[in-house]
Amino acid sequence: MASYFMYLQSISCDTLFIAGCGKFFEGTAEQMYSALVEKLGGLPDNTRVFCGHEYTLQNLKFARHVEKDNQEILKKIEHANELRNKNLPTVPSTIGDEKKYNPFMRVMMGEVQSHASCSDPIATMQSIRKEKDNFRA
């Protein structure tokens, strides 16, 4: 457990949120791809994700915008709404769950690339992060 914690600390505090990722303030799409898809995505699927901000519902609205037919997003929206209606946090998640509905961890998937009009995962990452920066549900 401690080794995962140290590993995650070395990546960044604002890298992974439930169904989203941090803004590219000082980094690049290449660095975010490496952190999210290669490093975090390489952890065991049952690795729990504890992010420091409650952006889940906002992020899920964007995820739904990107992947309209992804049923995992709909399930997660329903579950997150139930939790928030009880004043409960949506945190934690797992790496395995994030791979199902987080568009930034799914930039290699056809529907996400099609949405971004890109065929390269890094270009897709750049495109959807820029779109998310200005997204209003």
Side-chain angles (χ1 to χ4, degrees):
M1 180 67 105
S3 63
Y4 284 146
F5 179 71
M6 294 303 292
Y7 178 71
L8 294 175
Q9 279 186 320
S10 71
I11 293 174
S12 173
C13 292
D14 282 348
T15 300
L16 177 60
F17 295 106
I18 297 177
C21 75
K23 293 183 178 183
F24 301 167
F25 287 120
E26 295 179 1
T28 65
E30 292 87 358
Q31 291 168 321
M32 188 61 81
Y33 178 84
S34 175
L36 282 179
V37 177
E38 296 173 347
K39 292 183 174 103
L40 294 176
L43 293 172
D45 282 350
N46 65 347
T47 303
R48 294 174 73 178
V49 174
F50 291 86
C51 51
H53 301 286
E54 184 63 70
Y55 298 147
T56 304
L57 286 169
Q58 295 164 288
N59 289 341
L60 286 166
K61 288 176 185 176
F62 180 72
R64 178 79 171 124
H65 171 73
V66 172
E67 287 189 277
K68 293 171 181 39
D69 297 326
N70 184 331
Q71 295 301 306
E72 295 297 326
I73 296 170
L74 294 177
K75 289 182 209 173
K76 185 64 178 179
I77 289 171
E78 184 177 323
H79 180 66
N81 276 322
E82 289 172 8
L83 290 171
R84 296 308 296 149
N85 287 336
K86 295 176 184 174
N87 290 319
L88 296 172
T90 61
V91 177
S93 182
T94 66
I95 293 295
D97 286 343
E98 293 302 310
K99 289 177 184 177
K100 294 175 186 175
Y101 51 69
N102 187 326
F104 299 97
M105 292 188 80
R106 297 173 54 77
V107 293
M108 69 296 286
M109 305 302 287
E111 190 171 352
V112 178
Q113 290 182 350
S114 177
H115 174 84
S117 299
C118 299
S119 59
D120 173 73
I122 294 171
T124 301
M125 176 77 71
Q126 180 71 40
S127 176
I128 65 172
R129 182 62 253 187
K130 184 175 182 179
E131 182 180 6
K132 175 72 166 76
D133 290 346
N134 300 302
F135 180 74
R136 303 289 176 254

